[in-house]
Coordinates of all heavy atoms in Angstrom, one line a residue:
Chain B
H154 N 17.0 -15.4 23.4 CA 16.4 -15.6 22.0 C 15.8 -16.9 21.9 O 15.1 -17.2 20.9 CB 17.5 -15.3 21.0 CG 18.6 -16.4 20.9 ND1 18.4 -17.5 20.2 CD2 19.8 -16.5 21.5 CE1 19.4 -18.3 20.3 NE2 20.3 -17.7 21.1
E155 N 16.1 -17.8 22.8 CA 15.5 -19.2 22.7 C 14.1 -19.2 23.2 O 13.5 -20.3 23.3 CB 16.3 -20.2 23.4 CG 17.7 -20.3 22.8 CD 18.6 -21.2 23.6 OE1 18.4 -22.4 23.7 OE2 19.6 -20.7 24.2
F156 N 13.5 -18.0 23.6 CA 12.2 -18.0 24.2 C 11.2 -17.2 23.4 O 11.6 -16.3 22.7 CB 12.3 -17.4 25.6 CG 13.0 -18.2 26.6 CD1 14.3 -18.1 26.8 CD2 12.3 -19.2 27.3 CE1 15.0 -18.9 27.7 CE2 13.0 -20.0 28.2 CZ 14.4 -19.8 28.4
S157 N 9.9 -17.5 23.5 CA 8.9 -16.6 22.9 C 8.7 -15.4 23.7 O 9.2 -15.2 24.8 CB 7.6 -17.4 22.8 OG 7.1 -17.5 24.1
G158 N 8.0 -14.4 23.1 CA 7.8 -13.1 23.8 C 7.1 -13.3 25.1 O 7.6 -12.7 26.1
G159 N 6.1 -14.2 25.2 CA 5.5 -14.4 26.5 C 6.4 -15.0 27.5 O 6.4 -14.6 28.7
Q160 N 7.3 -15.9 27.1 CA 8.2 -16.5 28.0 C 9.3 -15.5 28.5 O 9.7 -15.5 29.6 CB 8.9 -17.7 27.3 CG 8.0 -18.9 27.2 CD 8.6 -20.0 26.4 OE1 9.3 -19.8 25.4 NE2 8.4 -21.2 26.8
R161 N 9.7 -14.6 27.5 CA 10.6 -13.6 27.9 C 10.0 -12.6 28.9 O 10.7 -12.2 29.8 CB 11.1 -12.8 26.7 CG 12.2 -13.5 25.9 CD 12.7 -12.7 24.8 NE 12.3 -13.3 23.6 CZ 12.9 -13.0 22.4 NH1 13.7 -12.0 22.3 NH2 12.5 -13.7 21.3
Q162 N 8.8 -12.3 28.8 CA 8.1 -11.5 29.7 C 8.1 -12.1 31.1 O 8.2 -11.5 32.1 CB 6.8 -11.0 29.2 CG 6.2 -9.7 29.9 CD 7.2 -8.5 29.8 OE1 8.3 -8.6 30.4 NE2 6.8 -7.5 29.1
R163 N 7.9 -13.5 31.1 CA 8.0 -14.2 32.4 C 9.3 -14.1 33.0 O 9.5 -14.0 34.2 CB 7.6 -15.7 32.1 CG 6.2 -15.9 31.9 CD 5.9 -17.3 31.4 NE 4.6 -17.4 30.9 CZ 3.5 -17.9 31.6 NH1 3.7 -18.3 32.8 NH2 2.3 -17.9 31.1
I164 N 10.4 -14.1 32.2 CA 11.7 -14.0 32.7 C 11.9 -12.6 33.3 O 12.5 -12.4 34.4 CB 12.8 -14.2 31.6 CG1 12.7 -15.7 31.1 CG2 14.2 -13.9 32.1 CD1 13.4 -15.9 29.8
G165 N 11.4 -11.6 32.6 CA 11.4 -10.2 33.2 C 10.7 -10.1 34.5 O 11.1 -9.4 35.4
I166 N 9.6 -10.8 34.6 CA 8.9 -10.8 35.9 C 9.7 -11.6 37.0 O 9.8 -11.1 38.1 CB 7.5 -11.5 35.7 CG1 6.6 -10.6 34.7 CG2 6.7 -11.7 37.0 CD1 5.3 -11.3 34.3
A167 N 10.3 -12.7 36.6 CA 11.1 -13.4 37.6 C 12.2 -12.5 38.0 O 12.6 -12.5 39.2 CB 11.7 -14.7 36.9
R168 N 12.8 -11.8 37.1 CA 13.9 -10.9 37.5 C 13.5 -9.8 38.5 O 14.1 -9.5 39.5 CB 14.5 -10.2 36.2 CG 15.6 -9.2 36.6 CD 16.3 -8.7 35.3 NE 15.3 -8.0 34.5 CZ 15.6 -7.4 33.3 NH1 16.9 -7.5 32.8 NH2 14.7 -6.8 32.6
A169 N 12.3 -9.2 38.2 CA 11.8 -8.2 39.1 C 11.4 -8.7 40.4 O 11.6 -8.1 41.5 CB 10.5 -7.6 38.4
L170 N 11.0 -10.0 40.5 CA 10.6 -10.6 41.8 C 11.7 -11.2 42.6 O 11.5 -11.6 43.7 CB 9.5 -11.6 41.5 CG 8.2 -11.1 40.9 CD1 7.2 -12.3 40.8 CD2 7.6 -10.0 41.7
A171 N 12.9 -11.3 41.9 CA 14.0 -12.0 42.5 C 14.4 -11.4 43.9 O 14.7 -12.2 44.8 CB 15.3 -11.9 41.6
V172 N 14.3 -10.1 44.1 CA 14.7 -9.5 45.3 C 13.5 -9.3 46.3 O 13.6 -8.6 47.3 CB 15.4 -8.1 45.0 CG1 16.6 -8.3 44.2 CG2 14.4 -7.2 44.3
E173 N 12.5 -10.0 46.0 CA 11.3 -10.0 46.9 C 10.8 -8.5 47.1 O 10.7 -8.1 48.3 CB 11.5 -10.7 48.2 CG 11.8 -12.2 48.0 CD 12.0 -12.9 49.3 OE1 11.2 -12.6 50.3 OE2 12.8 -13.8 49.3
P174 N 10.5 -7.8 46.1 CA 10.0 -6.4 46.2 C 8.6 -6.4 46.8 O 7.9 -7.4 46.7 CB 10.0 -5.9 44.8 CG 9.8 -7.1 44.0 CD 10.4 -8.2 44.6
E175 N 8.3 -5.3 47.4 CA 6.9 -5.1 47.9 C 6.1 -4.4 46.8 O 4.9 -4.5 46.8 CB 6.9 -4.2 49.2 CG 7.5 -4.9 50.4 CD 8.1 -3.8 51.3 OE1 7.4 -3.1 51.9 OE2 9.3 -3.8 51.4
F176 N 6.8 -3.6 46.0 CA 6.1 -2.7 45.1 C 6.7 -2.9 43.7 O 8.0 -3.0 43.5 CB 6.3 -1.3 45.5 CG 5.8 -0.2 44.6 CD1 4.4 -0.2 44.2 CD2 6.6 0.7 44.0 CE1 3.9 0.7 43.4 CE2 6.1 1.7 43.2 CZ 4.8 1.7 42.8
V177 N 5.9 -3.1 42.7 CA 6.4 -3.4 41.3 C 5.6 -2.4 40.4 O 4.4 -2.3 40.4 CB 6.2 -4.8 40.9 CG1 6.5 -5.0 39.4 CG2 7.0 -5.8 41.7
V178 N 6.4 -1.7 39.5 CA 5.9 -0.9 38.4 C 5.9 -1.8 37.2 O 7.0 -2.3 36.8 CB 6.7 0.4 38.2 CG1 6.1 1.1 36.9 CG2 6.6 1.3 39.4
A179 N 4.7 -2.1 36.6 CA 4.7 -2.9 35.4 C 4.3 -1.9 34.2 O 3.2 -1.5 34.2 CB 3.7 -4.0 35.5
D180 N 5.3 -1.6 33.4 CA 5.0 -0.6 32.3 C 4.6 -1.3 31.1 O 5.4 -1.8 30.3 CB 6.3 0.2 32.1 CG 6.1 1.5 31.2 OD1 4.9 1.6 30.7 OD2 7.0 2.3 31.0
E181 N 3.3 -1.3 30.8 CA 2.7 -2.0 29.6 C 3.3 -3.4 29.4 O 3.9 -3.7 28.3 CB 3.0 -1.1 28.4 CG 2.6 0.3 28.6 CD 1.9 1.0 27.4 OE1 1.4 0.2 26.6 OE2 1.8 2.2 27.4
P182 N 3.2 -4.2 30.4 CA 3.9 -5.5 30.3 C 3.4 -6.5 29.3 O 4.1 -7.4 29.0 CB 3.8 -6.1 31.7 CG 2.5 -5.5 32.3 CD 2.5 -4.1 31.7

Side-chain angles (χ1 to χ4, degrees):
Chain B
H154 72 86
E155 297 173 67
F156 293 92
S157 69
Q160 288 175 319
R161 277 186 247 194
Q162 201 53 295
R163 286 168 191 266
I164 297 165
I166 294 172
R168 175 175 63 183
L170 298 181
V172 297
E173 297 183 38
E175 290 150 73
F176 175 59
V177 173
V178 173
D180 191 355
E181 311 221 18

